Amino acid sequence: MAAAFLAPAVARAGTSDIPALKDVFRDHFKIGMAVDPWVAVEPPARDILIKHASSITACEVMKPDPMGVAADIYSFGDADALVDFARSHGIAVRGHTLCWHKRASDWFFAGDPADAAYASRVQARLETYVVNVVSHFRGKVYAWDVVNEAAADSGADVGGGAYRDSRWHQVLGPDYIDIAFRAARAADPAVQLFLNDYGLEKPDKRQRFMTILDEKLKRGVPVDGVGHQLHLSIGSTTAADIEPALAAVEARGLVSHVTELDISVYGDPASCWDTPPAGCQPEILPGSAAYDAALKAQADMYRSLFDLFTAHKSVTSVTTWGVADDQTWLDAYPIMRKNYPLLFDAQGKPKPAFRAVADTTHPAE
Ligand code: G3I
């Protein structure tokens, strides 16, 4: 692949002089971005998605809050708009997410917990929600993150157990995961069902996650694959850290989706995430030497990750959490600070990370 296409700084994401990511990785995995409908229809995201994406994930609009308004009341408009955009451009859609403690609306848990029938009522609401949502998108969504972030972040949760001490777990116990997956399978026999989480590149979190996964597989819960979020920072994680997670999934006969990939340009210490703003690095500005150095390190890291993904046939979908640097959750997390975690810059132009990923025949610059 001629290096010439890589050179011009003026290349725009939607133009013909850069390769389409969906073509570069066509023989390996679907590739795409997380986006919301109001972002997808505007530049720069629109051009990038149409040119490069073979998969789209809803960043927000397919979560229980906002999509589940109340028991048996749904707000499908925004999600349908994203699905329509994707289908009109031949892009497949990943559903995110049916059950997540962070967006679990209060109506799921209405009632008196002391009531003997309380848990069965909560279970019925979860089952009805999942069945109705998965049925609504049947044939339009190829994979669902059925349950998100079920594993405990540290051994302290739930008395040292594997499960996050979430509201779902408090009311229904570990079975909430079985309930959500079985309801999704009942609604759509063809859609792929995923257990999605972050930190699987860390041995202790991975062990807790695999404990949960093995319990579910032993009980015949219809899990097709594992979603690896991969919210990373430069200098924090290597491909060698991630490989054991992919291998563990393969050893169980399942597939892996990389579901939320981004690489923060700040190599913050743990304190910045645990007790912000302790230790958080100062903002870097485009055009500075620090920015150029960070983007070079980011490009090298993206290249090594995509080399890992293409080396594993079990990786069948890779999604970045966002389209271009103009819209990223990392601008507000862990602190308010402009971040540049994606493959395209805020104007939609390919960054060094894009060139490193797209030019798979030559070493990263
Ligand atoms: O749309 C409303 C807007 O109308 C309102 O004015 C504004 C202020 O309250 O809030 C807007 O909604 C925000 C939403 O993002 C859309 O931008 C929510 O408050 C905010 O909590 C929400 O944050 C999202 C977060 O998930 C919680 O849903 C982030 O953008 C999104 O990147 C993040 O994504 C999660 C994945 O789903 C799961 N894995 C971790 C990942 C990062 O936290």
Side-chain angles (χ1 to χ4, degrees), residues 22 26 30 49-50 53-56 83-93:
K22 62 188 175 186
R26 184 178 303 279
K30 286 183 174 59
L49 290 164
I50 293 171
S54 47
S55 180
I56 275 184
V83 169
D84 291 347
F85 170 86
R87 288 165 64 87
S88 69
H89 295 289
I91 304 172
V93 178

Side-chain angles (χ1 to χ4, degrees), residues 1-6 19 24-25 28 303 306-307 310 354-365:
M1 193 180 297
F5 88 83
L6 305 177
V24 173
F25 296 106
H28 294 284
R303 174 61 189 268
F306 272 78
D307 286 348
T310 53
F354 171 90
R355 294 193 286 270
V357 163
D359 184 19
T360 53
T361 58
H362 290 78
E365 288 174 0

Side-chain angles (χ1 to χ4, degrees), residues 278-299:
C280 294
Q281 291 188 358
E283 185 168 300
I284 60 176
L285 299 175
S288 67
Y291 177 82
D292 294 344
L295 261 56
K296 171 67 171 67
Q298 183 188 61

Side-chain angles (χ1 to χ4, degrees), residues 36 38 59-60 63 65 96-97 100 102-103 148-149 196 198 229 231 260 321 328-329 333:
D36 282 311
W38 50 85
C59 187
E60 271 308 288
K63 291 173 178 171
D65 164 22
H96 174 84
T97 173
W100 183 28
K102 280 192 176 176
R103 302 304 289 267
N148 192 40
E149 303 177 4
N196 189 51
Y198 61 86
Q229 290 187 14
H231 291 295
E260 306 181 21
W321 200 248
T328 171
W329 71 292
Y333 194 82

